[in-house]
Amino acid sequence: MKKYYIKTYGCQMNISDSRKMADILDGAGYEEIRISENQGIRAIRELEQCDIIVVNTCTVRANAENKGLWFAKSLKHHKEKNPNLKIIFCGCIVEDKKNEITKLLPHVDLFIPPNSSEKLEEFLVFSPSIEKRGGNRAERGGGEFVTIMHGCNNFCSYCIVPYVRGREKSRTPEEILEEIRILGNQGIREITLLGQNVNSYKYGFAKLLHMIEKTIEGEIRGLERIRFLTSHPKDMSDDIIDAVADLPHLCEHIHLPIQHGDDEILKAMNRGYTVDDYKRIAEKIRNKIKGVAITTDMIIGFPGETEKHFSNSVGRIREFAFDQVVTTIYSPRSKTAAAKMENQVPEEIKKERLQRIMKVTDAMALEQNKKLVGTTQEILNGRTRTNKIVKSNLKGQPGNVTITSARSYILYGGTTNDTRK
Ligand code: SAM
Ligand code: SF4
Ligand code: F3S
């Protein structure tokens, strides 16, 4: 049997694209080779067995981009040893560097821009049916992604995504419901709806959530959980919060990136809300959705960030009691407005601030997790409904777990008592 390996960098959008490509390759009769994260590209023997290697790349920060490019460059030796090996390079770098990419990577056989997995079908001259989708996934366990909208219109001043993923385009509710039905009927128990800003879904996001709930209740008994990513504070409406509070399949977790804790920087970032606006939304979420977890993203060292601006970001972590904060050092991306700003913060200062803020986010996450010790949590795919990772004796099976101890990013569970079928 022919073999393939897919290496994925970047966000859930890329993970979703990679899964679609895996489905296409599975459908074409290839077998996936899995390489653990810590083995990575040092897994020479596994890579040597491959007939196809797919590198799905991200360009949101310089180091994400460098990792993908470096891996693809390192495959040149494999191609020299095995000229039949097909190397496929795809994802956000392809769009960003479309004029230079063939020169940078002359040994690559096919370049695929983001969200264009049909190009792989054309390459293989093979077209699997949509019913194939999810077939192998259910056996492998885990949840599935359903993209509800592509692209982004927001042009946050630091972000390259609108340039590489294009403008916002929503799929129709009918298409989305059909995909959910197919996945549900194949035994998928958890689905994450994806979009860069799901709250601005063209046909009404709250309406879509209600339609999904109704479909699950009427037709798809096995589907237990619905999640969504990512919410933008400027478009977070009451009816979306109400839907999460009221609809039983919607999980009590909202990822609501604040990006910065200072109004001046938020304005320079072109985010379209103030810290006070964020506060009102966060309070509404906490008041309406019982036991909710709120997670966020923060960028450290945006151009012009002073010590005072930075300490405002640090202060918001406790103020909003975030369950988790994904902190990243600002990375200038060509084409974006912020890259052209003059007052760039020196690398050493950014790194030092990152270390400081991480101590606070780790402590806050631990404090939030400790509140769960002694509670019973419903576990699916190793996570609570609030998306916290739980280690227990369930060994990957669904069930109920009583939390016995907590660390910042992991909970431990003891007795299990699964009453579900
Ligand atoms: N659409 C989502 C939003 O608005 O929050 C997330 C999109 S982005 C793919 C994921 C995260 O990457 C962002 O939340 C932001 O924190 C981070 N990010 C984007 N551009 C960045 C840059 N130039 N430097 C550092 N972090 C960046
Ligand atoms: Fe990037 Fe902003 Fe769009 Fe998110 S909302 S993808 S951060 S431009
Ligand atoms: Fe995602 Fe990276 Fe592209 S974060 S949208 S894979 S640039």
Side-chain angles (χ1 to χ4, degrees):
M1 207 173 189
K2 288 190 169 184
K3 295 191 169 55
Y4 73 93
Y5 170 60
I6 302 185
K7 176 73 189 164
T8 309
Y9 301 89
C11 67
Q12 280 79 3
M13 287 285 177
N14 262 18
I15 297 172
S16 170
D17 283 352
S18 286
R19 288 191 182 176
K20 281 185 200 127
M21 290 190 278
D23 286 338
I24 292 167
L25 288 160
D26 290 345
Y30 286 76
E31 184 190 350
E32 182 168 12
I33 286 198
R34 297 181 157 246
I35 299 176
S36 74
E37 275 302 314
N38 21 358
Q39 229 186 337
I41 56 173
R42 289 187 304 276
I44 310 280
R45 208 145 35 93
E46 284 81 354
L47 292 173
E48 276 177 355
Q49 290 173 26
C50 289
D51 301 281
I52 292 184
I53 300 177
V54 179
V55 189
N56 195 4
T57 62
C58 170
T59 182
V60 78
R61 288 181 293 279
N63 66 351
E65 176 176 304
N66 291 340
K67 279 186 203 159
L69 279 175
W70 192 79
F71 179 42
K73 279 181 187 160
S74 77
L75 295 176
K76 191 161 180 261
H77 306 290
H78 292 277
K79 181 89 175 176
E80 280 162 5
K81 268 195 187 163
N82 171 16
N84 292 328
L85 169 68
K86 301 283 179 234
I87 301 173
I88 300 172
F89 188 85
C90 44
C92 297
I93 297 182
V94 177
E95 186 58 40
D96 187 42
K97 297 203 182 312
K98 54 184 165 218
N99 299 328
E100 51 198 297
I101 197 78
T102 47
K103 280 201 199 92
L104 270 175
L105 300 166
H107 54 293
V108 164
D109 296 277
L110 175 71
F111 293 96
I112 307 181
N115 186 36
S116 310
S117 48
E118 69 286 351
K119 296 248 177 345
L120 179 59
E121 291 178 13
E122 287 162 20
F123 182 73
L124 297 169
V125 202
F126 179 83
S127 182
S129 66
I130 184 171
E131 278 70 25
K132 177 76 193 153
R133 180 117 204 252
N136 295 341
R137 312 279 155 234
E139 288 157 31
R140 289 171 192 164
E144 262 293 332
F145 296 113
V146 170
T147 304
I148 66 163
M149 56 204 292
H150 300 284
C152 182
N153 290 349
N154 289 319
F155 289 91
C156 301
S157 63
Y158 50 81
C159 185
I160 197 167
V161 171
Y163 301 92
V164 292
R165 290 255 169 191
R167 292 305 88 78
E168 209 171 275
K169 206 161 168 254
S170 296
R171 296 174 73 204
T172 63
E174 292 72 29
E175 270 180 280
I176 295 166
L177 291 175
E178 186 51 23
E179 191 169 348
I180 292 176
R181 270 190 207 102
I182 290 169
L183 292 171
N185 291 333
Q186 284 173 340
I188 298 294
R189 300 171 90 160
E190 178 170 332
I191 283 176
T192 304
L193 309 172
L194 288 186
Q196 293 299 348
N197 178 9
V198 290
N199 312 23
S200 67
Y201 175 67
K202 183 176 157 192
Y203 305 97
F205 187 53
K207 229 157 98 189
L208 178 71
L209 294 178
H210 281 274
M211 288 164 92
I212 292 172
E213 181 72 27
K214 215 166 133 199
T215 308
I216 296 174
E217 283 181 356
E219 305 171 43
I220 333 173
R221 284 278 151 216
L223 189 47
E224 294 178 36
R225 291 178 174 180
I226 298 290
R227 306 182 178 281
F228 54 85
L229 277 175
T230 301
S231 295
H232 194 306
K234 81 174 167 56
D235 297 312
M236 190 56 149
S237 61
D238 285 3
D239 55 356
I240 297 172
I241 299 172
D242 288 339
V244 179
D246 298 341
L247 304 177
H249 289 89
L250 264 287
C251 288
E252 297 78 21
H253 168 221
I254 308 267
H255 185 63
L256 192 67
I258 187 168
Q259 308 297 4
H260 209 278
D262 185 278
D263 283 346
E264 256 172 50
I265 301 284
L266 282 176
K267 190 150 187 262
M269 285 178 159
N270 191 31
R271 287 291 287 178
Y273 54 85
T274 62
V275 173
D276 266 354
D277 296 332
Y278 190 95
K279 188 176 178 174
R280 272 192 294 276
I281 302 162
E283 278 172 0
K284 235 179 255 166
I285 292 172
R286 290 233 185 263
N287 289 338
K288 290 199 169 169
I289 309 168
K290 205 172 146 264
V292 72
I294 305 181
T295 56
T296 202
D297 294 348
M298 272 191 185
I299 294 177
I300 317 302
F302 183 84
E305 185 188 73
T306 61
E307 188 57 31
K308 187 163 160 280
H309 295 138
F310 171 69
S311 66
N312 277 337
S313 275
V314 177
R316 305 302 170 198
I317 292 166
R318 188 148 293 281
E319 182 179 349
F320 298 133
F322 288 121
D323 289 85
Q324 190 169 350
V325 185
V326 181
T327 44
T328 46
I329 284 185
Y330 167 72
S331 172
R333 308 312 291 138
S334 63
K335 299 190 181 88
T336 65
K340 296 173 195 95
M341 292 177 184
E342 275 167 14
N343 40 6
Q344 301 286 326
V345 176
E347 266 331 286
E348 317 79 72
I349 296 185
K350 289 196 245 182
K351 282 187 189 149
E352 184 269 332
R353 285 182 185 163
L354 179 70
Q355 294 309 315
R356 269 195 281 157
I357 201 163
M358 279 170 65
K359 282 197 187 121
V360 182
T361 60
D362 291 353
M364 190 69 235
L366 179 62
E367 205 174 297
Q368 290 293 79
N369 275 356
K370 274 186 173 167
K371 291 180 189 163
L372 298 177
V373 173
T375 65
T376 300
Q377 299 288 325
E378 176 198 301
I379 309 300
L380 181 62
N381 298 324
R383 289 179 185 250
T384 64
R385 286 179 62 91
T386 52
N387 208 30
K388 291 174 189 268
I389 297 170
V390 178
K391 276 247 153 73
S392 72
N393 50 354
L394 283 173
K395 297 205 169 69
Q397 291 305 305
N400 294 331
V401 164
T402 302
I403 305 301
T404 49
S405 64
R407 285 166 61 179
S408 291
Y409 304 109
I410 195 158
L411 295 165
Y412 295 90
T415 43
T416 71
N417 164 30
D418 191 8
T419 50
R420 291 179 297 159
K421 281 176 244 50

